[in-house]
Amino acid sequence: FSGTTMNKIILGVIYGGKSTEHEISILSANGILQQLDTEKYQIEYVYIDRSGHWHRQSHAQFVALVKNPKSDAEGSSRPSMASAAQGRPAQGDALVISLGQGKQSFRRLADGKAVPVDVVFPILHGTFGEDGCIQGLLRMAEIPFVGADVTGSAIGMDKAVCKRLLAQAEIPSAKY
């Protein structure tokens, strides 16, 4: 890991998401972030709103969201159709993943500034979080991440497939 700020590891924390467990993801992120050593990690807050748009947040915006996790983040916006059609960035902090050479990063659409990361901690629950989707996206972008990989996540989310695999391997599991 390169950690460019006084040898800190740049940790991209992703929370929110499109699933019905959106609020739980925010509260989980808060619990995890409270335990992280800020002497060791520089945190980059990456919020996915209910529509699936990605936003870079400040610590203050994250704290406000934790206080009211049922509302989408204040100041979050998505690219306008007019801006996208004209091929120029929209206003707001919507993010895309840069797949360029070298260190991978998230890139802000509004100003084109890169948000380099050493590793991502996806704290997403339910669909598009625990099912292997975000893991596959990060794997494809060659961005290191914390937690189970694509296959393990997908199997764990699909309870019927998981039960069949456990039975085939003769590993006892509860009936369903």
Side-chain angles (χ1 to χ4, degrees), residues 8-161:
K8 289 184 180 183
I9 296 169
I10 303 172
L11 179 65
V13 177
I14 303 176
Y15 50 91
K18 292 172 58 172
S19 87
T20 57
E21 299 181 60
H22 179 92
E23 294 87 9
I24 301 303
S25 170
I26 294 165
L27 297 176
S28 293
N30 185 48
I32 291 166
L33 286 166
Q34 287 180 2
Q35 302 305 313
L36 289 177
D37 181 354
T38 56
E39 295 295 316
K40 186 175 181 180
Y41 299 101
Q42 175 186 323
I43 308 301
E44 291 294 338
Y45 300 86
V46 180
Y47 171 64
I48 301 176
D49 67 28
R50 294 177 202 297
S51 299
H53 297 95
W54 296 43
H55 308 273
R56 183 179 188 196
Q57 289 191 316
S58 66
H59 176 73
Q61 288 172 312
F62 174 73
V63 169
L65 185 61
V66 168
K67 289 180 182 177
N68 188 7
K70 289 189 180 276
S71 69
D72 269 337
E74 204 173 302
S76 293
S77 61
R78 61 182 176 184
S80 71
M81 295 301 268
S83 295
Q86 294 172 356
R88 65 175 197 261
Q91 297 302 311
D93 280 342
L95 297 175
V96 294
I97 292 180
S98 171
L99 299 176
Q101 293 181 335
K103 187 175 187 178
Q104 301 305 313
S105 67
F106 295 103
R107 188 168 300 281
R108 296 175 65 181
L109 289 176
D111 58 14
K113 291 182 182 172
V115 181
V117 293
D118 291 310
V119 63
V120 166
F121 196 150
I123 310 172
L124 298 167
H125 294 285
T127 308
F128 306 115
E130 290 177 277
D131 61 358
C133 288
I134 191 75
Q135 293 84 355
L137 176 68
L138 294 168
R139 175 72 57 220
M140 185 177 71
E142 298 179 353
I143 297 174
F145 59 92
V146 173
D149 207 352
V150 180
T151 304
S153 298
I155 291 169
M157 186 75 167
D158 189 327
K159 305 307 182 226
V161 168

